[in-house]
Amino acid sequence: MTSGEPSSFESIYKTTRRLPFSDTDAKQMRAHLQIIHRHGLDLSIEDASDLEEMLQEGILTPQSRDLQADFVFVNVDAGRGFFGGQKTKVLTFTSDIHRNQYFPGPVLGSLLRALVGINNLYRAAGLLKGPAL
């Protein structure tokens, strides 16, 4: 994958060294979906029954019809810390809702930051006011 060029979901899936999202990430994702729905927004995981499997595979695919956007968040291996602990980063990708071409976004330190990024898109579109997390 070349920076700035679109990639298919399949390409992203095949070329990333994914690690499972943590239990904390899973709780944050579930809580965020509940909160965002209370605000009347439509952020969802296309097949919510696959959420646990996606978390274990280190990849999440939220979608927003309100924003006409698909997102891909990939939890990747970022090496080992000074004391040998596993480090991770979250790669982000965005696509128009009708295409399977994802453009790379920022590399973030946590899933929570990626979710805050979606909130900022809702705010920019005038769909969210006040805190959502």
Side-chain angles (χ1 to χ4, degrees):
M1 290 182 298
T2 305
S3 180
E5 293 183 18
S7 300
S8 67
F9 178 82
E10 293 77 21
S11 174
I12 294 168
Y13 190 84
K14 289 179 183 178
T15 61
T16 52
R17 291 182 52 195
R18 295 177 315 282
L19 293 173
F21 282 101
S22 69
D23 290 339
T24 300
D25 290 333
K27 288 176 188 172
Q28 288 173 340
M29 184 68 193
R30 285 187 203 94
H32 185 75
L33 287 173
Q34 289 175 347
I35 291 167
I36 210 81
H37 291 155
R38 273 189 252 142
H39 284 274
L41 302 172
D42 74 339
L43 186 68
S44 64
I45 303 296
E46 193 170 323
D47 190 354
S49 65
D50 291 338
L51 181 59
E52 291 303 318
E53 182 179 335
M54 290 181 354
L55 289 165
Q56 285 303 308
E57 290 205 23
I59 196 161
L60 286 170
T61 57
Q63 180 183 72
S64 172
R65 295 226 180 259
D66 289 334
L67 297 172
Q68 291 292 298
D70 288 330
F71 304 93
V72 175
F73 300 145
V74 185
N75 198 44
V76 295
D77 183 346
R80 295 281 176 181
F82 185 71
F83 295 107
Q86 179 67 58
K87 296 184 342 183
T88 62
K89 293 287 184 186
V90 177
L91 305 179
T92 64
F93 300 86
T94 307
S95 175
D96 177 282
I97 204 165
H98 303 290
R99 291 195 262 170
N100 186 26
Q101 292 296 305
Y102 293 88
F103 289 89
V107 177
L108 303 170
S110 70
L111 178 61
L112 183 59
R113 289 185 182 267
L115 297 173
V116 168
I118 292 176
N119 286 355
N120 291 338
L121 293 173
Y122 279 121
R123 278 189 187 82
L127 299 171
L128 179 63
K129 295 185 184 356
L133 284 179

